[in-house]
Structure formats: structure tokens, C-alpha cells
Amino acid sequence: MKSMSTKVVIVGSGSSGISAAFELYQQRVPFVLLEKGNKVGGAGKFGAHGVFAIDSEQQKEKGVKYSYSDAFRGLTDYNHFFVNGELLSRFLKESGANIDRLEEMGLPVVVEQSEQKAHLHDPLVYHKFTNFKEKVINWDKLPAKFEAAQNKVLLETAAIDIDYDNGLKAVIAQDKENNKVRIEAQKVIFADGGYCGNEEMLKKNYSDAAELLNLGERKSTGIGINLSAKLGADLRHSPALFAHGCAPSMTINPMKRESAVETLTNLPLLWLDQTANRFVNEDVVYDFAMWGNAAHNVHGKYYVVVDQTTLDVLKTKTVDLEDTFERQFCDVGQEPKINVGPLPNIQMDFDNATKTGEVVKAKTIDELAEKLGLPLSALKRSLDSYNHAVVTKKDDAFLKSADELMFSVKNGPFYAIIEHCAILGTLDGVNVDRNCQPVREDGTPIKDLYIVGNNANGLYSDGYPSYEGIANGFAFVSGWIAAKEAIKTLN
């Protein structure tokens, strides 16, 4: 087995790992960065558009009044006090300074109103990457900086084990050719992003795992969580899924922007669960986290039900409904389109989707119920109730606003888009202290190990909260915290 030595090993080069590496690089502490993929980066690089922070210099310049006390109380209350208060406190207090660090890393952000419609009147806490494409390019430039300072960045190399005896002795890694390397080190920072790439762990923790549309990093297989558990780390926590929006499939998902089927997915039309009942005010579509949580709550799958008249109208006309993902793809300062249509290819897109099974088409309501396996009486009752709400412009049950009660479902053929709860990852793993060290069930830390980003429990009670950019913000800050704490205790 090949061997090498260093001071710190970082497992994963997503937001938390690259942040930890940058701190070690700045402080001239030798490290080895392991990345399972063929390039650096994780969900924070390839998907995230910004980070949450309070008390940044940019916010101060704009006179933002949202303070530490607002954020701490808000998140604590939101999570019903199922939260690691010390960890939350440290993250919030260091989040503002992290904005300056991002600039130093070549990943600049600007404080801007959140891109989601549901958050247009939120306090200014969202810091959006100034240019998404440049963020990706600059992220890829960081390894050369690290290596120029005599550190190592090993791509297509994964941590598989650790040698630990009352302290870390070495990290055992393996490359894509199954060659193993022993990396002797004093500290290891596990920044490998949770376990959304581990089907066994997903199935164990989530009863709707089979229905989830996994848009997360499949490289994240829970290695940091599982190796910490072998050393007695405390994993007691309710599973917290990083639910974020919904989509029919990997081919018709919000990132493609190619199909009218996807467009209708992103509108507050009629949604029915697997019992043929409405389950939410459909304008939850304008808040990605709550949208995903709502779908997760009905076992990961629901149906968007429309009729032929809806398709015909949208084919030739513009309507005053907003595609929830329209703002997601706007650069800083760009104005979003706040209506939908005309969609000239809508009929072709729906017909193609019926062939792949992402849309179910039926001539009658009876046939639709049969094809979807829904109780006919419940389906008819739901349609009658919703159509009445459209006519009267009053939704007694779910309180959808009158201007969103636009399309009834009366004239066949009928269509049902099969929607799945989309996930970007998992948010539960190892309980840690304020220094991001894993702790045992008695609360004592396991020395020389650090757990960061989506590997760590403590910020969320039962799901991703409606605080835009908080997962990515925590990833950067927790990686920074771990690196600083590791440096303090190095020999």
C-alpha cells in the first residue's frame, strides 16, 4: 500500500471541504484534499446560487436590520427547539465574515432579495453568487493554488477507512483503480455531504425513498457519518431530508427548462395526492423548501391534474401565473418573467410525456382514476370541489388566492403529471459540538475528527427550513470552523 503523510485530511471538496481547505491554505497548514469525483465540487458548486448570512459588511452598508437575535430566535422557534443551540449560534455569528472569505476565494456574492417569489419581502439575508458560471470556473482554479503551496488534491480518490487508536493515525483512501493509499495525519475533516448516494441508508430512514427524485450528489454515500459511528459517535436524530421542489423525472426537471410539462409542474394548478385528495395550497410551489416538504409529507408523490382546455389556453395565450423557477435562473439584477405562455409546443410535450409514463392521459375521469389507481369517488369529489372554487373564486379549504384559481378541470381528455419530491441531499448525520467535532452519546467529543456541512446534525428538526441559502451558508462556515479548530490542536 502506498503511503504519504500530512497534517490534515479533508474528505470532499464541496462547499464545506473547499472552505476548510482554503483556511488551511491561508494558514500554511499542510493538507490532503480527497475528492471522489473527477473534478472538485459538490452540491454547493453545481447547484447552489447563494448563501445565507447575517451582519455581513454588505448588509451593514444597506442598513439591514435583521440581527443575530432575529435569526437565532427565528431558527430556534422554527425548529421547535429541536436544534443544537451552540452550533447554531456559532454559525450565525461567523456567517457575516464568511461573505468576505468567499470574495477571497474567488466566489463573490452580493446581498440581494431572495430569488423565490415566496421570499420577496423577507429580510435581506440572502447573498447570491454574482455570476453562477464564473463561480464554477473559479472553484476549479482553487486546486492549483493549493498544490502550488505543496498540498495535495487527489481526484477520483475516496476515503474508505481510518486508523484510529485513542487518536487519528491515518486515513485509508482508494482511487478508481482500487489502489489504496495510507495517509498519515493528525486530523480529518469529513465534508462528504451526507448520504443521498447511499440507497440503503435512504431506505432505512425514509419510507418514501422509492418515490424521491434524487438530484443530489451521488458521491455522498455517508462515509464520514459511518466511520464516525464506528468510533461511537452519537447519531440520535430524526432524519431530515433536504427536500427542494418537485419534478416528474430526471429528464423533465426544473434544471432542464425544455418542456412545457415542466412549466406546468411549476405553477399553482390542481394537485392531488395518492388518495385523490388535495393536500396543500398549491401556491406553496413558490417556496422550494416548503414545496418539497409538502410532497415528502404525502409519501413523495402527487399528481398535477389538468384538462385539455388548460393546454389549449396555454398553447396560444399568456396568463398571469409565474413559473416558480423563472427567478432561479436570473443573474444578479436581471428581471424575471412574471407570466407564462404562450407555450406552442405544449401538446407535443405532453404527448411525448405520455409515452414515457411521466404523464398519464385519459379520455374520462373514470379512465383517469383507473389508470392512476385512485378511488373514483374521491377523485370526483376533489374535482367538483376545486371546480367550484374556480367558479366562485373562493377556496374554503386551502385558501388559495382568487387570482390563482384560474383553471378548472372539466373537459377531457384529462392529464395527470406524476410529480416526485426532489431532494438535494440529506441533512442529518452526526451530532457535533460547537467546534464541529463529533460527540458520543455522553456528549464527549471524539478527538481529531470533524464533521461538517450536510454530515452534521443540529440545525434542522424535521426538514429544510424556509431560510434561503442556509444549507450552503452553513457548509462554508462549518468547514471554516473545523479547519480553525483543527489548527488549534495540531502538534
Side-chain angles (χ1 to χ4, degrees), residues 261-297:
V261 175
E262 183 259 321
T263 300
L264 267 65
T265 288
N266 302 334
L267 303 177
L269 302 172
L270 171 61
W271 299 356
L272 300 178
D273 65 15
Q274 297 175 65
T275 67
N277 288 291
R278 282 181 77 196
F279 58 97
V280 71
N281 180 339
E282 294 89 351
D283 68 11
V284 74
V285 74
Y286 294 119
D287 185 321
F288 297 157
M290 298 301 99
W291 178 18
N293 288 346
H296 186 34
N297 188 49

Side-chain angles (χ1 to χ4, degrees), residues 26-40:
Q26 286 191 310
Q27 301 303 325
R28 296 184 174 86
V29 176
F31 65 89
V32 173
L33 176 60
L34 301 179
E35 170 50 53
K36 190 181 291 186
N38 61 3
K39 60 180 68 175
V40 292

Side-chain angles (χ1 to χ4, degrees), residues 143-156:
K145 288 185 177 182
F146 300 157
E147 291 182 319
Q150 308 305 309
N151 302 295
K152 292 186 182 297
V153 178
L154 303 182
L155 300 178
E156 298 182 294

Side-chain angles (χ1 to χ4, degrees), residues 249-268:
S249 67
M250 293 294 288
T251 55
I252 304 179
N253 77 59
M255 309 306 291
K256 298 288 186 179
R257 310 299 289 167
E258 296 172 347
S259 172
V261 175
E262 183 259 321
T263 300
L264 267 65
T265 288
N266 302 334
L267 303 177

Side-chain angles (χ1 to χ4, degrees), residues 8 140 144 216 304 369 392 427 429 432 443 466:
V8 182
D140 288 335
V304 180
T392 62
L427 297 170
V432 298
S466 195

Side-chain angles (χ1 to χ4, degrees), residues 88-364:
L88 173 62
S89 175
R90 186 165 185 185
F91 157 56
L92 292 175
K93 288 181 177 179
E94 302 199 28
S95 64
N98 181 59
I99 302 304
D100 293 332
R101 292 185 71 244
L102 289 171
E103 180 85 31
E104 295 173 15
M105 294 173 71
L107 310 174
V109 293
V110 59
V111 66
E112 189 180 72
Q113 202 64 54
S114 172
E115 55 202 8
Q116 295 180 49
K117 184 179 177 181
H119 298 291
L120 293 181
H121 303 292
D122 285 1
L124 279 173
V125 294
Y126 187 57
H127 296 66
K128 189 173 183 179
F129 291 108
T130 56
N131 185 295
F132 188 85
K133 292 181 180 178
E134 287 183 7
K135 175 196 74 168
V136 174
I137 292 169
N138 290 343
W139 204 301
D140 288 335
K141 292 178 180 178
L142 289 168
K145 288 185 177 182
F146 300 157
E147 291 182 319
Q150 308 305 309
N151 302 295
K152 292 186 182 297
V153 178
L154 303 182
L155 300 178
E156 298 182 294
T157 305
I160 60 172
D161 204 353
I162 56 175
D163 181 359
Y164 192 95
D165 183 10
N166 194 34
L168 182 69
K169 305 301 181 184
V171 174
I172 313 302
Q174 182 172 284
D175 66 20
K176 65 176 182 178
E177 277 84 32
N178 297 322
N179 299 311
K180 293 182 180 179
V181 58
R182 176 185 174 88
I183 309 171
E184 295 182 354
Q186 296 180 36
K187 308 288 179 183
V188 59
I189 300 172
F190 285 111
D192 48 314
Y195 57 91
C196 75
N198 187 321
E199 291 187 11
E200 183 178 335
M201 292 179 73
L202 284 176
K203 289 178 181 177
K204 177 182 177 182
N205 288 329
Y206 305 105
S207 61
D208 58 347
E211 300 292 357
L212 301 177
L213 180 63
N214 195 338
L215 303 179
E217 281 291 337
R218 303 302 178 90
K219 298 178 296 183
S220 301
T221 56
I223 186 68
I225 296 170
N226 291 325
L227 289 181
S228 299
K230 285 174 62 176
L231 298 180
D234 183 9
L235 269 59
R236 294 175 300 176
H237 191 276
S238 298
L241 192 67
F242 195 169
H244 212 247
C246 300
S249 67
M250 293 294 288
T251 55
I252 304 179
N253 77 59
M255 309 306 291
K256 298 288 186 179
R257 310 299 289 167
E258 296 172 347
S259 172
V261 175
E262 183 259 321
T263 300
L264 267 65
T265 288
N266 302 334
L267 303 177
L269 302 172
L270 171 61
W271 299 356
L272 300 178
D273 65 15
Q274 297 175 65
T275 67
N277 288 291
R278 282 181 77 196
F279 58 97
V280 71
N281 180 339
E282 294 89 351
D283 68 11
V284 74
V285 74
Y286 294 119
D287 185 321
F288 297 157
M290 298 301 99
W291 178 18
N293 288 346
H296 186 34
N297 188 49
V298 291
H299 313 295
K301 184 172 79 172
Y302 68 93
Y303 308 102
V304 180
V305 182
V306 297
D307 66 2
Q308 188 64 49
T309 300
T310 303
L311 269 61
D312 292 342
V313 169
L314 288 170
K315 183 175 184 178
T316 60
K317 296 182 179 180
T318 298
V319 300
D320 290 330
L321 290 176
E322 183 177 333
D323 182 328
T324 186
F325 272 91
E326 177 65 27
R327 297 174 186 272
Q328 181 78 8
F329 298 94
C330 291
D331 287 330
V332 172
Q334 184 179 350
E335 289 295 322
K337 182 181 177 183
I338 57 173
N339 49 40
V340 172
L343 303 172
N345 297 325
I346 190 170
Q347 190 64 59
M348 179 181 67
D349 290 344
F350 268 76
D351 289 344
N352 288 337
T354 60
K355 297 174 184 176
T356 60
E358 290 145 322
V359 171
V360 172
K361 181 179 180 180
K363 294 180 180 179
T364 65

